[in-house]
Amino acid sequence: MAVEIPAGATAAGRTWPARYTIDGTTLKLIVDLSPQVVDGQTVTPVFPVVADPRVTSGWSIYTRWSRGESRYIANSPVYVLVSALSSAGCGSKWIRTPMQKAVCLGVVNVTAWQIHKTFQTARNNNGCTEVKFDYTGGLDGWRWYTRSPTCRN
């Protein structure tokens, strides 16, 4: 089980400090509603202030890239290298016929391109990117997102 770093958000869309405390066997989410100093100015929260903790459990592994990392990857041809390395697996002894090899190459290259396009969409929307793998290391999905405590600069 994983509990991500908490973050609150005001009605104005400003992130607001939050933290966890443990009281016996209870995990408590605390959002500090006191005024904060931001860029030399005192700011008070615009209500309502919400905090949605994200708790995950299971066999998935999430790899997340920040806004800056997503921009960097979107602007680079790294998908070509990933695609080439992944395509090498299409020549393995378990993929025997030319048709199977062709399908494998097509799937690998289309998937690499789609993931690259996801990084570009994240870049264009000032967002972050997430790739999900199952417990065996197999690719299980990907997405771009902007609203989450894990999407940082």
Side-chain angles (χ1 to χ4, degrees):
M1 176 181 288
V3 180
E4 292 186 5
I5 297 170
T10 69
R14 181 183 298 274
T15 58
W16 210 257
R19 70 183 190 288
Y20 290 116
T21 61
I22 297 177
D23 184 10
T25 59
T26 303
L27 178 67
K28 292 183 178 182
L29 174 60
I30 309 295
V31 178
D32 183 357
L33 298 176
S34 62
Q36 304 291 317
V37 177
V38 178
D39 296 328
Q41 296 183 4
T42 301
V43 179
T44 57
V46 177
F47 292 94
V49 176
V50 296
D52 294 322
R54 182 170 176 177
V55 179
T56 59
S57 64
W59 293 99
S60 295
I61 300 165
Y62 296 86
T63 305
R64 295 185 176 106
W65 288 270
S66 69
R67 287 180 174 93
E69 292 165 335
S70 292
R71 275 191 304 273
Y72 178 80
I73 292 170
N75 292 331
S76 74
V78 72
Y79 78 94
V80 174
L81 176 62
V82 171
S83 181
L85 291 173
S86 300
S87 295
C90 294
S92 72
K93 65 180 180 181
W94 294 285
I95 301 175
R96 297 182 178 167
T97 70
M99 178 60 90
Q100 289 172 330
K101 291 180 191 302
V103 169
C104 178
L105 287 169
V107 168
V108 164
N109 286 292
V110 166
T111 302
W113 178 248
Q114 288 174 337
I115 293 172
H116 183 69
K117 293 300 283 180
T118 300
F119 276 98
Q120 290 177 330
T121 303
R123 174 199 62 204
N124 296 343
N125 291 280
N126 195 30
C128 297
T129 310
E130 172 184 274
V131 177
K132 179 180 173 185
F133 299 91
D134 65 24
Y135 70 97
T136 65
L139 183 62
D140 200 21
W142 58 90
R143 69 184 182 111
W144 71 273
Y145 62 101
T146 57
R147 295 201 174 261
S148 170
T150 63
C151 188
R152 304 195 191 292
N153 291 326

